[in-house]
Amino acid sequence: MCIQMAEEDDLNLPRAAINKMIKEILPQVRVSNEARELIVACCNEFIHLVSSEANEICNKNTKKTIMPEHVLEALEALGFGTYVTECKEVLAECKHVAQKKRRGSSRLENLGIPEEELLRQQQELFAQARQQQLEQEQQEWLQQQ
């Protein structure tokens, strides 16, 4: 029984994440545990329904990977077309964030400075900081005398 429940939990959204969303959306409202469990169950069912439909659409298109377009089409097919616009906005935002991350990670490569030189500069800065710290400590000691 415990093993089965652990496996089921692996296939569900984390309750803590759902609880946090509920608190953020409805900060002044108390929600019973039963209502929270029902919301978690509904969220899990919704995701299962949409992903199953997206998988069918993906298979019909003879693709092996579910793409965002398949999910959007699944929402339309299931009667959730009113969510498509907002989903497209979220998708665009996610792509933008991912693009910024990719650009940020290549900044080091675009500097044109070899890694060895950067390491040497870093060591030099550390040595300067240690020297400044030592001088400051000596000044403080002299002031105390």
Side-chain angles (χ1 to χ4, degrees), residues 47-64:
I47 291 171
H48 179 76
L49 182 68
V50 173
S51 59
S52 294
E53 184 67 23
N55 186 49
E56 287 182 29
I57 292 168
C58 181
N59 288 335
K60 285 179 190 173
N61 293 332
T62 63
K63 302 288 182 183
K64 293 186 177 185

Side-chain angles (χ1 to χ4, degrees), residues 40-127:
V40 169
C42 289
C43 290
N44 289 323
E45 184 60 31
F46 179 76
I47 291 171
H48 179 76
L49 182 68
V50 173
S51 59
S52 294
E53 184 67 23
N55 186 49
E56 287 182 29
I57 292 168
C58 181
N59 288 335
K60 285 179 190 173
N61 293 332
T62 63
K63 302 288 182 183
K64 293 186 177 185
T65 303
I66 297 174
M67 301 299 290
E69 299 76 32
H70 300 137
V71 175
L72 297 172
E73 192 176 330
L75 288 170
E76 289 281 357
L78 293 168
F80 297 107
T82 56
Y83 295 116
V84 170
T85 303
E86 189 174 345
C87 288
K88 285 181 180 179
E89 291 170 4
V90 170
L91 177 60
E93 185 181 331
C94 288
K95 285 182 179 180
H96 179 70
V97 168
Q99 188 177 24
K100 280 176 71 175
K101 281 185 181 177
R102 279 194 298 273
R103 269 193 256 133
S105 67
S106 65
R107 261 194 330 214
L108 181 64
E109 297 150 7
N110 294 336
L111 283 176
I113 303 172
E115 191 174 338
E116 295 82 17
E117 174 62 16
L118 290 171
L119 185 58
R120 186 195 66 71
Q121 290 177 8
Q122 181 185 41
Q123 293 300 324
E124 188 176 309
L125 289 170
F126 284 152

